[in-house]
Amino acid sequence: MTVAEAKSQAQLIEDDVAARVDVDAVVRTQRIDPGTLLGCSRGAYQWSGGSSVSLATDASARDIVGTLAKSYAGEAGDQGLVYEKRKGRGDSHDFVLRGDHGASYYVSADQTDSTVEITSFSSCFELEVLPDAGLSY
C-alpha cells in the first residue's frame, strides 16, 4: 500500500460517516488536510487525518452521533469494520469503527455540540522508502 492509497482508504470511511448526517443539518463538511504519517510498528506506518461536519444551530452533534452510532452498530460489519462504543465517555454516544491492520475511525461530538468530528487512522502498511520527518500527506 502507498501513502496515497492509505489516505484514500481512510477518507472513504470519513466520507461515509459524513454522508450519513442528515443533509438538512449540515452547514459545511471540511476535511483536515493535509494529514500526518504516523509510525505503527517497526517499519510500518499509517496515515492519519480527519473531517468535521459543522451543523446548523438547531442541530445537536451529540444527537447526530447517537444516530450514527445506531446506524453503524447494526451494519459496520458490512464494510469490514467493527463498531465499539467508546468507554469512559460518560453519557456521550462517541464511538470508534475498527478495521484491519490497525485502521480506526473515531466519531464524536465537539465540546460545543455544533460539530461532528471524524478522526481517522488508516491500516498500517510498510514503506520501502522511509519518509522524511515532519512531512504532511
Side-chain angles (χ1 to χ4, degrees):
M1 180 182 305
T2 66
V3 174
E5 290 168 336
K7 179 177 180 177
S8 177
Q9 172 198 70
Q11 288 180 336
L12 281 173
I13 301 299
E14 291 175 27
D15 292 346
D16 185 73
V17 173
R20 292 176 186 231
V21 177
D22 181 357
V23 68
D24 293 330
V26 176
V27 171
R28 177 181 65 171
T29 300
Q30 184 173 359
R31 193 165 315 275
I32 299 167
D33 207 20
T36 305
L37 200 57
L38 302 173
C40 278
S41 62
R42 181 175 230 167
Y45 298 87
Q46 68 184 161
W47 181 87
S48 176
S51 294
S52 62
V53 181
S54 300
L55 304 173
T57 55
D58 61 340
S60 165
R62 287 181 193 91
D63 291 345
I64 289 171
V65 169
T67 300
L68 291 168
K70 289 176 188 170
S71 170
Y72 279 105
E75 63 182 62
D78 296 344
Q79 296 180 348
L81 301 169
V82 175
Y83 164 87
E84 295 176 10
K85 176 161 177 24
R86 290 190 62 194
K87 296 179 172 117
R89 303 292 287 186
D91 63 351
S92 78
H93 300 291
D94 297 0
F95 64 96
V96 61
L97 300 169
R98 297 204 187 275
D100 292 335
H101 309 289
S104 54
Y105 310 91
Y106 294 85
V107 181
S108 60
D110 73 337
Q111 295 281 339
T112 64
D113 196 33
S114 63
T115 303
V116 174
E117 297 176 335
I118 308 154
T119 305
S120 61
F121 299 88
S122 75
S123 297
C124 294
F125 59 96
E126 292 184 7
L127 289 176
E128 290 183 22
V129 177
L130 296 178
D132 292 332
L135 289 182
S136 298
Y137 298 89

